[in-house]
Amino acid sequence: MMGFLRMVTPPASPPAKRSRRQRRVRANGDGFPVFLPKEVKDIKDPFARALAQRIVRIPVPLQMGNFKGCVMSSCIKPIVQQHDKSPVVLLHCFDSSCLEWRRTYPLLEQASLETWAIDVLGWGFSDLGKLPPCDAASKRHHLFELWKTYIKRPMILVGPSLGATVAVDFTATYPEAVDKLVLINANAYSEGTGALKDLPKSIAYAGVKLLKSFPLRLLANVLAFSSPLSENIDWTNIGRLHCQMPWWEDAMVDFMISGGYNVASHIKHINQKTLVVCSENDQIVSNQLSVKLLCELQNAVFREVPDSGHLPHVENPKQFVKLISDFASGKIN
């Protein structure tokens, strides 16, 4: 069970012009995109509610295995693109969504950083009614196609926990797409999904149903955050909102039996400037792994975020945004 846990209001501005299709999917009277699960209305966190209203789907071409087509991929897009600076692209943890960045995203915009928050293929709120493969290679290729189609410039790629593994895997394959890396409480040394990949599908589906359960998700939140119970309950609902998507169980089982990620051998080959971030009170990933990562990377610096647990971008967003801003501007080098 612990293996599961280890994988684990924006500034006023004129509204961005939306396409007819985007306007149709945003016809919900509560301001939420209609493709989000109805449970989004029960969320109390004002930052999550505000960011959820900005989620859009954009078409990303994908050809993997027997799948060929466009995936309507969920993300938060910047209001303005700044072609003279590297954009900041935010990934999320294992089995999460772009709502993980609810407290950080508005501050990054206020710091005048062009910021994207991307839902990794197989998680988040994309339209996967026709399910593509959701293994590591497909997640990597999907991110590259999104970058190639919309971002088009070397980016500052930010990944927390398993998102750091996704970032390392992507950078090792597509180094031309990455200017700098930020790896937060990185879970970069796990050896894939281990024995889970050999489970019969019926058992795998039972495990995935358990992973979706509220008690297990609440336990993960208690380990990740030192917050009052009422806040942890609401954050649990935010963290499992994407699990209500109709394709979620199939995508999770596909990822599980594919073997997951194994990127340890790639780390020493990464030469992009990298900021390794760890939290003072992380109860899920050992800080020793961040130190190990720092030693193996070719060009890395290290910073610790005080008074925060596994997700400093949720618990200590101002401190975290200052690190990102200073790293982007070259003040941290």
Side-chain angles (χ1 to χ4, degrees):
M1 192 66 63
M2 292 304 297
F4 274 133
L5 298 178
R6 292 192 180 95
M7 284 198 274
V8 284
T9 298
S13 179
K17 186 176 181 180
R18 297 192 296 266
S19 70
R20 184 178 298 174
R21 180 168 188 170
Q22 286 174 326
R23 288 195 294 271
R24 284 202 306 269
V25 300
R26 301 180 73 84
N28 191 308
D30 295 301
F32 298 114
V34 296
F35 56 76
L36 292 183
K38 65 181 186 303
E39 289 83 358
V40 68
K41 299 176 184 178
D42 300 327
I43 289 173
K44 298 178 176 61
D45 187 304
F47 298 98
R49 292 179 67 89
L51 198 61
Q53 292 177 14
R54 290 187 57 183
I55 297 175
V56 297
R57 284 174 170 173
I58 55 178
V60 175
L62 185 66
Q63 183 172 355
M64 293 295 294
N66 294 324
F67 182 90
K68 182 178 181 181
C70 271
V71 175
M72 293 302 297
S73 305
S74 50
C75 66
I76 311 291
K77 294 174 60 178
I79 295 173
V80 178
Q81 290 187 255
Q82 304 169 355
H83 296 286
D84 59 334
K85 298 179 182 178
S86 297
V88 175
V89 176
L90 307 172
L91 305 177
H92 53 70
C93 292
F94 168 75
D95 190 26
S96 185
S97 77
C98 56
L99 290 180
E100 190 177 298
W101 296 99
R102 56 194 176 270
R103 299 198 167 196
T104 298
Y105 193 97
L107 298 179
L108 289 168
E109 286 194 322
Q110 289 174 15
S112 299
L113 292 169
E114 176 190 331
T115 307
W116 297 71
I118 307 296
D119 280 340
V120 177
L121 181 70
W123 298 315
F125 305 103
S126 298
D127 182 359
L128 302 183
K130 180 183 177 184
L131 190 71
C134 292
D135 58 349
S138 298
K139 294 179 190 296
R140 179 200 316 133
H141 186 58
H142 172 262
L143 178 57
F144 176 72
E145 290 294 336
L146 189 152
W147 172 82
K148 184 175 69 172
T149 305
Y150 297 98
I151 301 173
K152 302 178 183 179
R153 293 128 51 219
M155 56 188 167
I156 300 173
L157 189 58
V158 182
S161 194
L162 189 81
T165 303
V166 177
V168 168
D169 176 71
F170 180 86
T171 304
T173 306
Y174 302 111
E176 71 277 10
V178 180
D179 178 25
K180 296 180 178 180
L181 273 174
V182 180
L183 307 178
I184 309 157
N185 295 320
N187 186 16
Y189 293 98
S190 61
E191 297 182 357
T193 55
L196 297 176
K197 70 179 185 298
D198 299 319
L199 289 176
K201 274 200 172 182
S202 58
I203 304 300
Y205 273 98
V208 163
K209 287 182 185 296
L210 178 62
L211 179 62
K212 180 181 180 178
S213 67
F214 184 87
L216 184 62
R217 294 274 174 166
L218 180 61
L219 173 60
N221 271 265
V222 169
L223 289 174
F225 306 116
S226 53
S227 304
L229 179 61
S230 60
E231 192 168 63
N232 261 323
I233 289 173
D234 192 44
W235 288 4
T236 298
N237 289 328
I238 296 168
R240 68 192 291 269
L241 182 66
H242 68 284
C243 300
Q244 312 302 325
M245 299 300 288
W247 45 259
W248 176 81
E249 289 186 9
D250 295 329
M252 277 300 304
V253 169
D254 189 76
F255 175 72
M256 182 190 303
I257 65 178
S258 74
Y261 284 94
N262 193 336
V263 303
S265 62
H266 295 326
I267 293 170
K268 61 184 178 182
H269 300 297
I270 301 295
N271 56 25
Q272 279 82 355
K273 186 71 176 178
T274 303
L275 175 62
V276 176
V277 178
C278 79
S279 297
E280 181 181 20
N281 302 316
D282 190 353
Q283 300 299 310
I284 294 178
V285 174
S286 169
N287 289 358
Q288 293 179 357
L289 293 179
S290 294
V291 174
K292 181 179 179 181
L293 187 63
L294 175 72
C295 295
E296 291 191 7
L297 288 163
Q298 295 185 31
N299 187 13
V301 292
F302 181 86
R303 293 292 186 274
E304 183 178 79
V305 181
D307 302 320
S308 60
H310 189 55
L311 302 182
H313 47 295
V314 177
E315 288 191 287
N316 199 340
K318 290 183 178 179
Q319 178 71 23
F320 180 77
V321 168
K322 186 177 188 309
L323 286 178
I324 297 294
S325 183
D326 287 350
F327 187 57
S329 66
K331 292 180 181 178
I332 296 177
N333 53 41

